[in-house]
Amino acid sequence: MDIHRYEYTKGRLFESEIPDQPMDLLKQWLEEAVGAGVTEPTAMCLSTVDEDGRPSARMVLLRGISASGLRFFTNYLSRKGSEIESNPHVALTFWWGALERQIRIEGQAVKISSEESDLYFYSRPLDSQIASAVSPQSQTLSSPSQIDEMFLAAKKEWGESVTRPEHWGGYDVSISRIEFWQGRPSRLHDRIVFEATEDGFLRSRIAP
Ligand SMILES: Cc1cc2nc3c(=O)[nH]c(=O)nc-3n(C[C@H](O)[C@H](O)[C@H](O)COP(=O)(O)O)c2cc1C
């Protein structure tokens, strides 16, 4: 494998330019990632741990930012769902190469209400609704065509009337710690951390 040595030169992260609320900076960086034409700018790596403390990670899409945290949707019976059930502490990581930026978040995942999951589920294209409703996410399949057959059978049976299964819905991840990382030349990267306290977020700069 060739070793690539990339120099980060796109910007700086100065305290004087950072909003008091980390959510505001998160929104700003997301908008800038969209503006920079990043593929799937809302994609984030969700890390969970199983009951023995072993981590696993996968990408999910950010579908909302609220006072209660960062929202994503999935199958509650999936591997990630069962790991969150036994340990709600999770981490989320964004990486936008075009902007040389990373955001790392740590917090707890909490299921959102059925009503809110319904609102999102029924806003999706019909085929996506059917796919999420039929897929036994993370379970073993017997052949490459099995999931297509399940999808087509459900499409025929349900027509336009799909019901959100109880096991598919959203989580909100509260923020206990969030770090903004901006790449710099010679690996002297900027790192600004916000830690949640009873009096709001405490901000600090940490070494690269
Ligand atoms: C860019 C990207 C976005 C994804 N978004 C989601 C998502 O929002 N929800 C989801 O359940 N899976 C999403 N997936 C699929 C997951 O990465 C993963 O394969 C799936 O959720 C099963 O994970 P698990 O078996 O660890 O539970 C996405 C994958 C990629 C590459």
Side-chain angles (χ1 to χ4, degrees):
M1 187 188 99
D2 288 342
I3 296 191
H4 297 277
R5 298 213 182 274
Y6 179 84
E7 276 291 282
Y8 298 88
T9 57
K10 293 245 154 57
R12 292 292 318 255
L13 191 51
F14 293 118
E15 280 74 355
S16 58
E17 295 160 12
I18 297 174
D20 290 339
Q21 293 305 319
M23 289 293 208
D24 292 336
L25 188 54
L26 172 70
K27 287 179 195 159
Q28 185 188 314
W29 277 24
L30 266 169
E31 277 167 26
E32 287 168 6
V34 172
V38 170
T39 305
E40 291 284 44
T42 64
M44 51 191 187
C45 178
L46 165 73
S47 304
T48 53
V49 283
D50 68 12
E51 49 195 11
D52 298 321
R54 284 178 228 183
S56 70
R58 79 290 287 152
M59 306 304 291
V60 292
L61 296 176
L62 175 68
R63 285 301 187 222
I65 302 176
S66 70
S68 44
L70 305 190
R71 183 165 293 184
F72 67 91
F73 288 85
T74 195
N75 186 318
Y76 292 143
L77 303 176
S78 64
R79 179 176 176 186
K80 73 181 91 51
S82 63
E83 292 189 356
I84 291 170
E85 189 70 32
S86 63
N87 184 345
H89 294 276
V90 301
L92 295 168
T93 313
F94 291 93
W95 161 243
W96 298 298
L99 297 168
E100 303 173 349
R101 284 173 174 169
Q102 169 181 239
I103 298 182
R104 295 169 54 177
I105 292 150
E106 289 155 39
Q108 292 207 42
V110 174
K111 279 182 192 168
I112 65 172
S113 69
S114 303
E115 292 75 25
E116 288 178 294
S117 287
D118 278 346
L119 267 181
Y120 177 69
F121 183 84
Y122 295 113
S123 75
R124 304 172 79 211
L126 189 63
D127 281 359
S128 303
Q129 294 180 27
I130 296 170
S132 327
V134 296
S135 173
Q137 195 175 55
S138 318
Q139 302 303 311
T140 303
L141 294 174
S142 58
S143 72
S145 58
Q146 189 186 353
I147 195 69
D148 300 70
E149 287 157 11
M150 291 165 82
F151 174 82
L152 289 173
K155 205 171 156 79
K156 202 166 152 197
E157 188 185 330
W158 297 339
E160 304 243 315
S161 59
V162 184
T163 306
R164 178 183 65 84
E166 279 299 308
H167 64 258
W168 194 95
Y171 287 99
D172 276 343
V173 177
S174 59
I175 298 183
S176 55
R177 186 181 194 277
I178 179 166
E179 177 196 320
F180 296 86
W181 183 103
Q182 176 75 59
R184 287 190 58 218
S186 309
R187 306 293 186 259
L188 298 173
H189 315 302
D190 285 321
R191 298 179 69 190
I192 300 290
V193 176
F194 289 84
E195 271 167 299
T197 71
E198 285 187 356
D199 303 322
F201 283 102
L202 210 65
R203 191 177 73 187
S204 53
R205 175 177 287 269
I206 59 173

